[in-house]
């Protein structure tokens, strides 16, 4: 008896994953991703934009020569504070000595905010003069004062305040200034010699640099209006005999200028010229 071969029909095995299923999965993935995005966006509303902490910040510097504006505070019809010395005479002597160091150093081009120290120029005019010269850094040189009988003394400086375009660069430069002045023998006022100034109408408010909140009040005009990192330095109290002897006399201004020069070199990471 002949054997009949039995042919069994084989069922075609599908892969179990149709085009429709793929579409559903893709839509689910998009929906979940979009939901996560909306959740993250909602959570981040009102949160501050992350920035590098001031103490960890390092400025980005280009190639030399660097254009440094030295703004000698007061002058002309504005003598500034009077005491053991006149502020405008002290700032002019310090600016002149600092310019001399920078002129000798091929890494720097010293610039000024007016034609002569005897001419009168408002802070806004000096800032405009600085901006016209495309500066990399500005240092405004000043002297402090206190009422008669006060023993106030020491160094302090004011960088561009938090929230401004060059705040972190300015704060970094202020740290170099305070460090150099302390090494020269100055006592530092406030938090490491660095403070902020805000004007509320005609009232000037001093704030320690630990207050990093962004405020709408303006600071010193020269700091607000200049288009580069900027610091205003109060090198000593013109009303203090001890302070003036060390940092406001003829030799004191030269010593201060050297400290400022070394701070500028530290900011731009160049080697200072040796002292004479």
């Amino acid at each position: 008896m002949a054997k009949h071969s039995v042919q069994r029909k084989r069922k075609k095995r599908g892969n179990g994953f149709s085009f429709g299923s793929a579409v559903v999965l893709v839509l689910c993935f998009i929906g979940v991703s979009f939901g996560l995005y909306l959740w993250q966006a909602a959570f981040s509303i009102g949160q501050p934009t992350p920035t590098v902490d001031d103490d960890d910040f390092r400025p980005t510097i280009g190639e030399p020569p660097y254009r440094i504006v030295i703004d000698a505070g007061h002058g002309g019809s504005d003598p500034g504070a009077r005491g053991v010395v006149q502020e405008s005479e002290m700032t002019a002597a310090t600016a002149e000595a600092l310019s001399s160091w920078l002129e000798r150093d091929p890494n720097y081009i010293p610039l000024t905010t007016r034609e002569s120290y005897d001419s009168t120029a408002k802070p806004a005019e000096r800032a405009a003069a600085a901006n016209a010269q495309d500066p990399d850094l500005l240092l405004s040189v000043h002297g402090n004062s206190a009422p008669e009988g006060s023993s106030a003394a020491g160094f302090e400086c004011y960088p561009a305040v938090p929230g401004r375009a060059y705040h972190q660069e300015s704060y970094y430069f202020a740290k170099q200034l305070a460090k150099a002045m302390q090494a020269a023998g100055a006592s530092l006022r406030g938090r490491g010699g660095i403070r902020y100034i805000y004007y509320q109408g005609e009232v000037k408010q001093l704030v320690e640099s630990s207050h990093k909140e962004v405020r709408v009040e303006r600071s010193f005009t020269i700091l607000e209006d200049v288009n580069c990192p900027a610091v205003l330095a109060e090198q000593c109290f013109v009303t203090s005999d001890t302070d003036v002897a060390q940092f406001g006399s003829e030799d004191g201004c030269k010593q201060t200028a050297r400290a400022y020069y070394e701070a500028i070199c530290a900011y731009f990471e160049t080697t200072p010229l040796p002292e004479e």
Side-chain angles (χ1 to χ4, degrees):
M1 182 170 143
K3 294 182 179 180
H4 297 283
S5 62
V6 179
Q7 294 183 350
R8 296 178 180 177
K9 293 182 179 179
R10 294 181 180 179
K11 294 182 180 180
K12 293 183 179 179
R13 294 181 180 179
N15 57 14
F17 192 79
S18 65
F19 176 77
S21 299
V23 171
V24 171
L25 285 175
V26 170
L27 291 176
C28 289
F29 177 77
I30 293 174
V32 171
S33 299
F34 186 66
L36 289 172
Y37 168 78
L38 291 178
W39 176 84
Q40 184 179 23
F43 178 77
S44 63
I45 291 176
Q47 299 297 317
T49 302
T51 57
V52 178
D53 187 85
D54 286 340
D55 291 329
D56 298 326
F57 175 82
R58 295 294 182 274
T60 300
I61 56 175
E63 295 297 321
Y66 305 109
R67 302 172 66 82
I68 312 299
V69 172
I70 308 165
D71 174 56
H74 307 281
S77 62
D78 175 17
R82 289 186 171 93
V84 182
V85 294
Q86 184 170 291
E87 183 180 2
S88 60
E89 295 176 356
M90 184 186 72
T91 62
T94 304
E96 187 68 27
L98 176 55
S99 293
S100 179
W101 279 114
L102 295 174
E103 284 172 356
R104 282 178 276 171
D105 191 330
N107 290 305
Y108 300 101
I109 299 174
L111 308 168
T112 62
T113 54
R114 56 186 190 270
E115 291 184 1
S116 73
Y117 301 124
D118 294 329
S119 61
T120 303
K122 295 180 179 179
E125 296 171 333
R126 305 205 306 271
N131 290 334
Q133 300 175 84
D134 192 25
D136 295 301
L137 189 70
L138 179 142
L139 173 61
S140 188
V141 181
H142 285 258
N144 224 329
S145 65
E148 185 176 355
S150 172
S151 60
F155 172 85
E156 61 190 24
C157 62
Y158 301 87
V161 297
R164 304 317 192 250
Y166 295 101
H167 160 66
Q168 288 190 306
E169 292 86 349
S170 302
Y171 183 84
Y172 182 79
F173 180 41
K175 289 197 297 183
Q176 310 313 311
L177 288 166
K179 181 180 179 181
M181 286 298 289
Q182 186 175 44
S187 60
L188 302 182
R189 294 170 57 81
R191 185 175 181 265
I194 304 174
R195 291 171 156 173
Y196 300 129
I197 283 289
Y198 295 96
Y199 281 94
Q200 298 176 324
E202 296 297 321
V203 179
K204 184 167 64 174
Q205 182 183 12
L206 184 151
V207 177
E208 297 298 341
S209 60
S210 55
H211 294 268
K212 300 181 184 297
E213 66 274 9
V214 177
R215 298 175 51 163
V216 298
E217 299 97 325
R218 280 174 62 86
S219 184
F220 290 117
T221 297
I222 192 72
L223 303 181
E224 295 281 6
D225 292 356
V226 73
N227 297 329
C228 70
V231 175
L232 186 149
E234 303 273 15
Q235 70 191 53
C236 71
F237 276 75
V238 300
T239 47
S240 166
D241 290 301
T242 304
D243 243 10
V244 169
Q246 193 168 7
F247 300 107
S249 62
E250 182 179 354
D251 289 338
C253 288
K254 292 178 180 178
Q255 180 175 350
T256 303
R258 174 67 192 191
Y260 290 166
Y261 167 65
E262 291 179 355
I264 292 170
C265 291
Y267 181 93
F268 289 103
E269 299 179 352
T270 67
T271 302
L273 298 174
E275 291 193 73
E276 298 173 343

